[in-house]
Amino acid sequence: MAETAIQSEKSVSQLRCIGCGRTALPDRFRCEHCRDLLEIIYPGWENRGPAGLDAAALKKLWLNRRSSFDPADRSGVWRFREILPQISQPKIITIGEGNTPVYELPHCARSAGIDHLSAKHQGMNPTGSFKDTGMTVAASFARQAGYRWVACASTGNTSASMAAYAARGGLHSLVLIPDGKISWSKLSQSLDYGAITCQLKTDFDGCVRVLNEVVERMPVYLLNSVNPYRVEGQKTAAFELLEQLGWEPPDHIIVPGGNLANSSAIGKALLEMKQLGFIQRVPKVSVIQAEGANPLVRTIRENGGQQLIPVHAETMATAIRIGNPASWKKALRVLRETGGTVEQVSEIEIAFAKAEIGAEGVGCEPASAVTLAGLKKLVQQGFVKRKESVVLILTGHVLKDAEFTLKFHRGDLFAGTPQQAESQILKSQERAPIVLEPSVDAVISLLKSAEN
């Protein structure tokens, strides 16, 4: 660890244990006393605000940077650098992350039973997922701290993002993935970006256990979501969202639940915005999980959040196929402090919602679609009211799992599974290719029949 990195961090931010409250060195991931996760805090904000600026000045500064040609200013993460850990500008690794769109979803709104629905599409990041916003900060810190190797365990999106940022920053990267339980589209990315990629004969949680021992024994910097710098980068999506909404917060923000760092990051950002005077009220942040990968749902419903109930995760939504989420305590705190809730959805519900989002011309990976599927249930329960504004966080690009989409539209996604009979409900959303003779009349006839 470079001494300069330690000194710069002490001057602006601190790592604090979420359990016992002790501070830690900048390159740690867990508290050395109680082994709980760490978070980054900014003690100076209480007296003088970020960089000595108030909310109005920061809003103006961040908006002005959008017209800059500086790579850091063009980044949708580093444009907000006053609310991030201090990284020297020459060490920043950026590939133009952030700046993701907010889409109106009128058809999905009607399907869910509300008047207004939009989506912040984090799948429009450079490597196709929300991971880029956190990876730019964590990888930049690794570079500043003098590490040569970075590593992650991954269900796909993390590996793609880490490999890309390592390549851009001149770092070596190691990826551990579960054997046969990952989207090949995502795996192809880490291979193309030059990572040493190892498939272990275990699940994601097994990969995490192996990697934790590797980083204990080798000078390798861990870039999984337990890394607090990842969370700091990912929180900028919430700052950017509120800026796009004119700093008028929605009533609800709904997030997919996998390892739970993203919901933690978004909640952290919202609470910081309230503290700093950017917003007067905090949206309710709710987390949706797949029924087959629902540890947070079970933990809250069965023991009130006292102790995590790990599960053997099984879902086609591979990005959230995680049974032992590292950031569950952080996510639980966000739910409690924002008044949000948790819900779970079936594989059929996920597939149907994904097709509905796609039919809006937006598209997303399966894990993102749990947000719409979960919203429908929250509306039915009365937790979300018809007139309330809702923003879905779409975490991955539609091409992240093209095989899922193709199987869906061919009608064989659930072939040979216990859900095969139930999947008939999906027929209305299927759009399989139509085989025709090479005839103009055949095409015209098809067009005329489609209008009826």
Side-chain angles (χ1 to χ4, degrees), residues 297-317:
V297 173
R298 289 194 58 189
T299 295
I300 291 175
R301 292 180 179 176
E302 296 179 26
N303 65 38
Q306 295 301 308
Q307 186 174 358
L308 179 68
I309 300 176
V311 303
H312 176 69
E314 285 295 340
T315 174
M316 293 184 188

Side-chain angles (χ1 to χ4, degrees), residues 299-337:
T299 295
I300 291 175
R301 292 180 179 176
E302 296 179 26
N303 65 38
Q306 295 301 308
Q307 186 174 358
L308 179 68
I309 300 176
V311 303
H312 176 69
E314 285 295 340
T315 174
M316 293 184 188
T318 55
I320 54 174
R321 184 165 25 194
I322 297 170
N324 189 18
S327 298
W328 72 274
K329 287 185 180 179
K330 290 183 177 181
L332 181 62
R333 184 175 64 184
V334 166
L335 293 177
R336 289 173 173 169
E337 294 189 6

Side-chain angles (χ1 to χ4, degrees), residues 21-37:
R22 290 184 170 92
T23 58
L25 291 174
D27 62 342
R28 300 298 191 265
F29 308 108
R30 290 189 178 273
C31 176
E32 294 180 344
H33 298 276
C34 70
R35 303 306 297 167
D36 223 328
L37 291 183

Side-chain angles (χ1 to χ4, degrees), residues 40 42 45 50 58 61-63 65-66 70-87 89 91-101 120-122 124-127 129-141 161 165 228-241 243-244 247 262 265 269 272:
I40 293 179
Y42 303 87
W45 286 7
L58 287 169
L61 173 63
W62 295 339
L63 195 60
R65 282 178 180 158
R66 294 182 69 89
D70 184 281
D73 291 343
R74 302 292 284 180
S75 164
V77 173
W78 296 104
R79 184 163 64 87
F80 300 99
R81 52 188 172 270
E82 284 73 22
I83 49 92
L84 294 174
Q86 184 178 8
I87 305 290
Q89 200 139 330
K91 299 298 184 182
I92 288 176
I93 307 171
T94 176
I95 49 178
E97 57 288 321
N99 300 312
T100 57
K120 173 72 167 166
H121 205 327
Q122 291 296 89
M124 297 301 180
N125 271 291
T127 75
S129 86
F130 76 99
K131 306 286 186 176
D132 293 350
T133 56
M135 203 61 70
T136 181
V137 177
S140 296
F141 176 80
S161 183
Y165 281 87
Y229 295 90
R230 281 268 311 272
V231 172
E232 292 304 290
Q234 285 168 208
K235 80 180 185 185
T236 59
F239 277 86
E240 183 176 271
L241 170 64
E243 182 185 61
Q244 290 168 311
W247 301 102
N262 202 30
E272 287 178 353

Side-chain angles (χ1 to χ4, degrees), residues 142-364:
R143 188 186 193 191
Q144 175 170 277
Y147 284 92
R148 296 178 60 245
W149 279 90
V150 292
C152 72
S154 178
T155 57
N157 285 331
T158 298
S159 62
S161 183
M162 183 198 70
Y165 281 87
R168 293 296 296 175
L171 305 173
H172 302 291
S173 60
L174 168 68
V175 171
L176 302 185
I177 61 172
D179 186 24
K181 296 180 180 180
I182 183 174
S183 161
W184 293 111
S185 302
K186 300 172 186 177
L187 176 58
S188 68
Q189 288 181 275
S190 65
L191 298 176
D192 219 33
Y193 301 146
I196 294 178
T197 305
C198 304
Q199 288 183 275
L200 304 188
K201 296 178 180 180
T202 182
D203 59 10
F204 170 78
D205 300 310
C207 291
V208 170
R209 287 192 293 271
V210 171
L211 185 58
N212 284 339
E213 291 197 32
V214 170
V215 299
E216 287 287 334
R217 297 168 59 178
M218 295 288 290
V220 177
Y221 191 63
L222 183 68
L223 286 182
N224 273 102
S225 60
V226 296
N227 186 310
Y229 295 90
R230 281 268 311 272
V231 172
E232 292 304 290
Q234 285 168 208
K235 80 180 185 185
T236 59
F239 277 86
E240 183 176 271
L241 170 64
L242 267 294
E243 182 185 61
Q244 290 168 311
L245 299 178
W247 301 102
E248 181 61 34
D251 295 301
H252 298 269
I253 296 177
I254 301 180
V255 191
N259 220 13
L260 301 176
N262 202 30
S263 51
S264 305
I266 289 170
K268 185 176 190 289
L270 294 170
L271 294 170
E272 287 178 353
M273 279 186 261
K274 177 84 161 43
Q275 171 197 347
L276 295 170
F278 285 89
I279 57 177
Q280 298 305 308
R281 60 180 178 85
V282 175
K284 294 177 180 178
V285 177
S286 295
V287 175
I288 312 298
Q289 295 191 301
E291 285 182 353
N294 62 348
L296 184 64
V297 173
R298 289 194 58 189
T299 295
I300 291 175
R301 292 180 179 176
E302 296 179 26
N303 65 38
Q306 295 301 308
Q307 186 174 358
L308 179 68
I309 300 176
V311 303
H312 176 69
E314 285 295 340
T315 174
M316 293 184 188
T318 55
I320 54 174
R321 184 165 25 194
I322 297 170
N324 189 18
S327 298
W328 72 274
K329 287 185 180 179
K330 290 183 177 181
L332 181 62
R333 184 175 64 184
V334 166
L335 293 177
R336 289 173 173 169
E337 294 189 6
T338 68
T341 189
V342 292
E343 189 50 85
Q344 60 186 358
V345 291
S346 70
E347 298 296 289
I348 298 290
E349 289 168 329
I350 294 170
F352 196 96
K354 180 183 179 303
E356 288 184 301
I357 295 170
E360 295 264 26
V362 175
C364 63

